[in-house]
Amino acid sequence: MEPEKPVPAHQTLAAAAAAPPRGYVEMGYIFAAVGAFLFSTKAIAIKLAYEEPIDAATLLALRMAMALPFYIVIAGLSVHALNKRGDPLPSAGLVLKSALVGAIGYWFASYTDFLGLEYISASFERLILFTYPFFVVVFGAMFFGQPMSMRVLAAVGLSYVGLAVIFVEKAGLEGHNTVIGASLVLSAAVAFALYQLLAKGLIGKVGPKLFTCIAMGGAAIGAFAQFFLTHPPADLIVSERVYLLALFLGIGSTVLPTFFMNAALQRISAQANATIGTLSPVATILLAVAILGERLSLADILGTGLVLVGVGWYALSERNASR
């Protein structure tokens, strides 16, 4: 029996360089969870803003106006860092693609979501919006060559059983506007799933910080164009309360969670990020009960438990598979 040949030093060093640092994947799960929670606050702030005389297009334009200065500053710092290191800037094609993907995920999806919230409750909206992990898994397998294992289907399926338990009860309590609102928010879910899948490859080429800034810039252009084509500029003059809510939407529900989400996408798969994101409707339901006075029923509690089990199972199984 021949003795094992020693592994060449250069191969050992290459393997060590290719391996992610300790805790790299785990931080991806944490970033995804924090991003999901921050996104969950968006529906609450929007419903509070709708207590004032304001529509979806105006509120979205205000949100982007509050968020855009942060993205411009961060983009400038990112470009400066690239120049200082002597690294090339993204090509015009990559910038255009990133802006268009951002418009899909943070203008079209946001507008249909904002508009849907004019018709349905915050809890109901969040449940429908977070059908997007299903579309991420299916579209990823159909169009992006991503695997769709039984583990993925089982974990996502369990989460959706939990969402369905809550969904059925909410659907029975909502009125005539349910179909309109649900259809709008479902459109947002499909658009956001496409964003997740399209963004991952671009993030790897552009970098998470600069990609986020370019994508949000594209979304801001879409939101501003929509507003000024449909509203007079005077409609941007609103109450101090709405300005404060728009500021929260711009920073707490937009700037911070987008960076957390894109940092997560750099470390874990789009399916993992989307599945962990199903924690967001759970957080929204609890916040809606505490802040908006929405009712928490037995179905809400049961569904929440199933979602948590499904998310935990998926995150644990993917972590073990990546070892």
Side-chain angles (χ1 to χ4, degrees):
M1 183 175 179
E2 296 183 0
E4 293 185 1
K5 296 180 179 180
V7 178
H10 71 277
Q11 291 185 11
T12 303
L13 292 173
R22 183 177 180 86
Y24 184 81
V25 174
E26 287 78 2
M27 285 303 299
Y29 293 128
I30 293 173
F31 289 153
V34 172
F37 174 77
L38 290 174
F39 271 131
S40 74
T41 63
K42 181 186 69 172
I44 307 301
I46 293 170
K47 294 298 281 189
L48 290 172
Y50 282 162
E51 294 175 0
E52 306 274 341
I54 190 170
D55 65 0
T58 305
L59 186 58
L60 181 58
L62 287 171
R63 173 203 194 191
M64 298 309 300
M66 299 295 184
L68 189 59
F70 292 91
Y71 291 114
I72 291 174
V73 171
I74 296 169
L77 293 173
S78 298
V79 170
H80 176 73
L82 288 174
N83 288 332
K84 189 174 182 180
R85 294 196 302 266
D87 295 336
L89 296 176
S91 66
L94 280 175
V95 171
L96 180 60
K97 288 179 182 178
S98 299
L100 290 174
V101 169
I104 292 172
Y106 290 105
W107 167 56
F108 178 79
S110 291
Y111 176 67
T112 51
D113 182 39
F114 275 47
L115 193 58
L117 276 164
E118 292 185 0
Y119 298 94
I120 58 177
S121 69
S123 299
F124 195 20
E125 173 267 352
R126 190 60 23 168
L127 293 171
I128 299 169
L129 183 62
F130 273 81
T131 58
Y132 85 85
F134 173 78
F135 296 112
V136 170
V137 172
V138 173
F139 292 164
M142 291 176 62
F143 305 118
F144 294 85
Q146 296 183 359
M148 186 167 60
S149 66
M150 291 302 297
R151 183 188 74 252
V152 172
L153 290 176
V156 174
L158 183 60
S159 292
Y160 278 97
V161 169
L163 294 179
V165 169
I166 307 172
F167 181 93
V168 169
E169 185 193 50
K170 298 295 182 186
L173 296 175
E174 299 290 336
H176 178 71
N177 291 330
T178 298
V179 174
I180 298 174
S183 298
L184 287 165
V185 178
L186 187 62
S187 298
V190 171
F192 197 68
L194 289 173
Y195 165 81
Q196 288 248 318
L197 290 163
L198 293 169
K200 188 168 178 63
L202 292 169
I203 289 171
K205 296 175 182 178
V206 179
K209 287 184 180 179
L210 189 55
F211 168 81
T212 301
C213 296
I214 296 170
M216 296 305 297
I221 291 171
F224 296 153
Q226 179 187 24
F227 174 81
F228 287 112
L229 287 172
T230 57
H231 294 70
D235 282 359
L236 291 175
I237 300 175
V238 295
S239 69
E240 180 181 351
R241 181 171 181 268
V242 171
Y243 282 133
L244 290 174
L245 288 168
L247 181 63
F248 176 80
L249 282 169
I251 301 174
S253 299
T254 305
V255 174
L256 293 177
T258 52
F259 281 108
F260 275 115
M261 175 174 289
N262 289 331
L265 281 171
Q266 193 179 33
R267 291 165 170 79
I268 61 178
S269 70
Q271 289 97 329
N273 197 37
T275 305
I276 293 171
T278 58
L279 290 170
S280 186
V282 175
T284 299
I285 289 171
L286 297 177
L287 290 172
V289 170
I291 298 174
L292 301 178
E294 294 184 9
R295 185 176 62 89
L296 181 62
S297 66
L298 181 61
D300 292 326
I301 297 172
L302 176 60
T304 297
L306 290 172
V307 170
L308 290 171
V309 171
V311 170
W313 179 23
Y314 181 82
L316 182 60
S317 60
E318 175 151 304
R319 176 186 173 186
N320 292 335
S322 65
R323 288 177 174 175

